[in-house]
């Protein structure tokens, strides 16, 4: 869906200007799918075979070279072995349509598919059945995280990634760095139950990420620095690590980020801001409509994060961050209280706002909140300024309105790290009661129709 402010205002007056202000301009490819497929480069014309054995790598590179000035690269249904990785550079006006499964057989590190220095790019499945199967378990069962990431976008502008599944990456699933004007939607990510298998990591400008499901045991959809004007909504962390900002180190520059409608089930946290020392600023952030169930941490600002080696500096300055409308339960509110602001003494948090925060514990009858050098309103936040020692308050009264719906598809067991992980279907719902913003299978839903016109 091409997103622009004019149509947003016309079509949906209920989306406030505040929403529109989030993105700094249009996102997505600038030419239509129909225009791009005037020239088709099917990988089969370059030697690829959907036989599960022939390496698709060289054919994909060759198809890119022929179609990179405008065209549609078509990877049809079936299983395509990938033994060598591709770096696709310098494209303009290209759609890569993946309707089958790219099955990792090669063992190099790096990125299976990297797209860089390109613009007007769409990476999608027309049938919603396209997937990259990373077979990460083959690495993980040996305790190794040395395999490749599945997909990386670097210095790409005006792009979309949608209606695909990214499964069992040996390392990270999808990274977008130094990109702009992108849209990512209707994406299902399912990885092993281990750290180091991030779902979506983004450090970029003007990006809309919506309707994404992640199962793994590390980052769900996470923002790193530098990042500006990012709208992240309808996110289903379905047994995951959870969403985060970070790890934040030196010269952090993050602003104008909204996370909205984030459902987190059985994860490490609902939202964590993680750093240890460091410098720079993260500001003007809204984190609203969060539902959690069975998570270890919930709201967790930890600027003394022990899993990170300290970075030089007094701390990353957190300013003007609103946490609004959080409901549900945490796993054990006495072990890990649902509200934690451990701000850096050298750079106390300012203008934190907690509004309508009602989280209760699934174990026991009390929970705690902790604030350190954290200023603002609501929860345990203190007014004034300057550093102060951690203050813990115990809560014994059940907060009113904490009860929150669950999702029918919540996972009860993870996928471990030693067995092949099945490719999921693309969901139609990523947050209770909220339908995905775009219909499945492509812009306007027509790419997947079985009419001749919709075929590549
Ligand atoms: C995919 O590749 C793995 C090896 O990485 C192999 O074990 C598996 O059989 C392949 N799957 C298909 C459907 O070809
Ligand atoms: C605080 O952040 C919100 C959300 O990004 C923004 O609308 C508001 O202008 C910011 N406030 C200040 C004082 O900058
Ligand atoms: C709070 O979030 C819930 C979903 O958890 C949503 O139904 C409700 O509309 C939100 N309330 C406000 C005031 O946005
Ligand atoms: C959550 O994971 C389970 C197990 O893989 C899956 O059946 C379900 O579809 C997932 N939820 C969504 C919304 O896809």
């Amino acid at each position: 869906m091409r997103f622009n402010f004019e149509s947003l205002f016309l079509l949906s007056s209920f989306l406030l200007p505040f929403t529109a202000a989030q993105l700094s301009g249009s996102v997505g490819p600038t030419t239509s799918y129909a225009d791009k497929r005037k020239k088709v480069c099917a990988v089969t014309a370059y030697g690829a075979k959907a036989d599960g054995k022939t390496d698709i790598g060289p054919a994909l590179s060759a198809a890119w070279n022929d179609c990179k000035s405008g065209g549609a690269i078509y990877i049809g249904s079936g299983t395509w072995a990938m033994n060598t990785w591709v770096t696709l550079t310098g494209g303009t006006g290209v759609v890569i349509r993946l309707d089958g499964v790219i099955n990792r057989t090669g063992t190099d590190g790096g990125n299976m598919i990297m797209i860089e220095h390109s613009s007007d790019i769409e990476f999608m499945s027309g049938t919603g059945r396209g997937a990259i199967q990373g077979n990460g378990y083959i690495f993980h069962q040996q305790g190794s995280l040395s395999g490749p990431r599945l997909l990386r976008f670097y210095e790409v502008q005006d792009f979309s990634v949608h209606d695909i599944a990214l499964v069992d990456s040996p390392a990270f699933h999808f990274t977008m760095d130094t990109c702009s004007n992108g849209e990512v939607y209707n994406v299902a990510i399912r990885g092993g139950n281990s750290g180091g298998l991030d779902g979506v990591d983004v450090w970029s400008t003007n990006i809309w990420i919506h309707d994404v499901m992640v199962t793994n045991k590390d980052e769900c959809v996470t923002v790193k620095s530098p990042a500006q004007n990012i709208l992240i909504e309808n996110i289903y962390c379905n047994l995951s690590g959870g969403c985060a900002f970070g790890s934040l180190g030196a010269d952090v520059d993050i602003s104008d980020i909204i996370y909205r409608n984030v459902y987190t089930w059985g994860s490490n946290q609902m939202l964590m801001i993680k750093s240890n020392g460091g410098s720079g600023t993260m500001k003007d952030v809204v984190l609203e409509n969060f539902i959690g169930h069975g998570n270890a941490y919930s709201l967790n600002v930890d600027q003394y994060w022990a899993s990170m080696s300290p970075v030089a500096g007094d701390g990353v300055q957190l300013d003007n961050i609103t946490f609004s409308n959080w409901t549900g339960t945490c796993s054990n509110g006495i072990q890990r209280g649902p509200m934690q602001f451990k701000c850096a003494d050298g750079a106390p948090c300012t203008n934190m706002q907690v509004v309508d925060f009602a989280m209760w514990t699934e174990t026991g009858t009390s929970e705690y909140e902790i604030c350190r050098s954290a200023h603002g309103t609501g929860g345990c936040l203190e007014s004034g300024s300057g550093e102060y020692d951690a203050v813990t308050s115990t809560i014994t009264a059940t907060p009113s309105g904490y009860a929150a719906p669950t999702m029918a598809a919540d996972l009860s067991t993870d996928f471990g790290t030693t067995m092949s992980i099945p490719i999921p279907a693309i969901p139609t719902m990523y947050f209770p009661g909220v339908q995905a913003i775009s219909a499945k299978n492509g812009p306007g839903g027509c790419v997947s129709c079985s009419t001749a016109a919709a075929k590549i």
Side-chain angles (χ1 to χ4, degrees):
M1 180 197 291
R2 183 86 190 150
F3 175 97
N4 65 58
F5 296 152
E6 293 74 19
S7 63
L8 179 72
F9 282 127
L10 287 173
L11 291 172
S12 5
S13 51
F14 59 89
L15 290 174
L16 302 172
F18 181 60
T19 308
Q22 190 48 42
L23 297 173
S24 52
S26 298
V27 294
T30 50
T31 58
S32 70
Y33 178 81
D35 275 351
K36 292 188 178 95
R37 75 175 156 78
K38 285 176 185 155
K39 174 169 183 182
V40 172
C41 299
V43 288
T44 46
Y46 303 86
K49 291 192 180 71
D51 60 3
K53 297 195 296 262
T54 308
D55 180 16
I56 195 178
L60 183 50
S61 290
W64 174 266
N65 286 337
D66 269 6
C67 257
K68 74 176 183 184
S69 302
I73 294 169
Y74 182 53
I75 306 167
S77 59
T79 302
W80 309 82
M82 190 162 195
N83 202 51
T84 54
W85 312 156
V86 295
T87 299
L88 309 176
T89 301
T92 308
V94 188
V95 56
I96 299 178
R97 174 169 168 172
L98 169 63
D99 288 352
V101 176
I102 292 179
N103 190 43
R104 181 194 65 78
T105 54
T107 55
D108 284 351
N111 304 280
M112 284 178 69
I113 299 179
M114 173 158 174
I115 301 180
E116 61 172 16
H117 309 304
S118 293
S119 62
D120 189 11
I121 301 294
E122 188 169 359
F123 185 91
M124 53 83 85
S125 169
T127 57
R129 298 224 170 87
I132 305 178
Q133 168 57 275
N135 301 303
Y137 76 98
I138 294 172
F139 286 91
H140 306 152
Q141 66 192 357
Q142 295 162 358
S144 165
L145 291 167
S146 64
R149 304 177 194 181
L150 299 191
L151 185 63
R152 179 173 176 206
F153 276 46
Y154 172 63
E155 290 192 348
V156 179
Q157 57 192 25
D158 303 319
F159 67 93
S160 66
V161 173
H162 61 97
D163 290 283
I164 55 158
L166 302 173
V167 181
D168 198 10
S169 183
F172 298 174
H173 289 79
F174 180 25
T175 302
M176 270 167 281
D177 71 274
T178 325
C179 294
S180 57
N181 313 338
E183 182 179 7
V184 175
Y185 59 100
N186 296 351
V187 170
I189 293 177
R190 185 183 269 182
N193 189 50
S194 159
L197 308 180
D198 299 17
V200 179
D201 289 323
V202 58
W203 60 108
S204 288
T205 302
N206 196 40
I207 308 284
W208 189 20
I209 299 172
H210 60 93
D211 301 293
V212 171
M213 191 260 291
V214 177
T215 297
N216 59 355
K217 209 58 190 174
D218 209 323
E219 309 301 339
C220 183
V221 177
T222 281
V223 173
K224 295 173 180 280
S225 177
Q228 263 75 41
N229 298 101
I230 300 187
L231 175 57
I232 298 170
E233 56 188 329
N234 301 349
I235 303 300
Y236 187 1
C237 308
N238 185 9
L239 273 191
S240 170
C243 294
F245 289 83
S247 315
L248 304 178
D251 302 321
V252 168
D253 182 12
I254 296 179
S255 64
D256 296 294
I257 314 292
I258 293 183
Y259 275 87
R260 169 192 300 145
N261 296 354
V262 176
Y263 179 89
T264 312
W265 168 265
S267 298
N268 299 344
Q269 78 264 347
M270 291 169 70
L271 190 286
M272 182 173 186
I273 301 173
K274 48 186 173 181
S275 62
N276 193 353
S279 56
T281 305
M282 170 177 156
K283 62 173 183 165
D284 303 343
V285 172
V286 175
L287 306 160
E288 64 185 359
N289 304 353
F290 276 60
I291 293 178
H293 297 287
N295 304 297
Y297 291 91
S298 300
L299 187 175
N300 188 23
V301 175
D302 191 348
Q303 298 199 274
Y304 293 92
W305 191 40
S307 302
M308 178 181 179
S309 310
V311 175
D314 289 341
V316 178
Q317 172 70 54
L318 306 184
D319 180 48
N320 189 24
I321 304 180
T322 297
F323 304 81
S324 160
N325 193 20
W326 287 46
T327 55
T329 48
C330 61
S331 164
N332 185 330
I334 276 297
Q335 244 169 35
R336 300 184 186 92
M339 184 189 302
Q340 309 205 4
F341 284 95
K342 294 174 190 152
C343 296
D345 292 339
C349 296
T350 48
N351 302 308
M352 301 290 107
Q353 293 143 65
V354 174
V355 185
D356 295 332
F357 186 94
M359 301 279 319
W360 190 233
T361 179
E362 289 162 23
T363 314
T365 53
S366 67
E367 62 187 23
Y368 73 89
E369 295 174 351
I370 186 167
C371 278
R372 167 178 178 180
S373 297
H375 298 278
T377 54
C380 55
L381 294 161
E382 298 195 357
S383 57
S385 59
E387 67 178 83
Y388 64 85
D389 290 343
V391 177
T392 304
S393 28
T394 301
I395 297 164
T396 52
T398 311
S400 70
Y402 79 86
T406 54
M407 297 283 280
D410 287 338
L411 266 173
S412 53
T413 47
D414 59 61
F415 291 104
T417 53
T418 59
M419 310 265 280
S420 176
I421 297 180
I423 296 170
I426 304 295
T428 54
M429 199 181 257
Y430 301 80
F431 189 81
V434 177
Q435 285 297 325
I437 292 167
S438 304
K440 280 214 277 185
N441 300 352
C446 73
V447 180
S448 60
C449 329
S450 55
T451 61
K455 293 208 166 115
I456 196 88

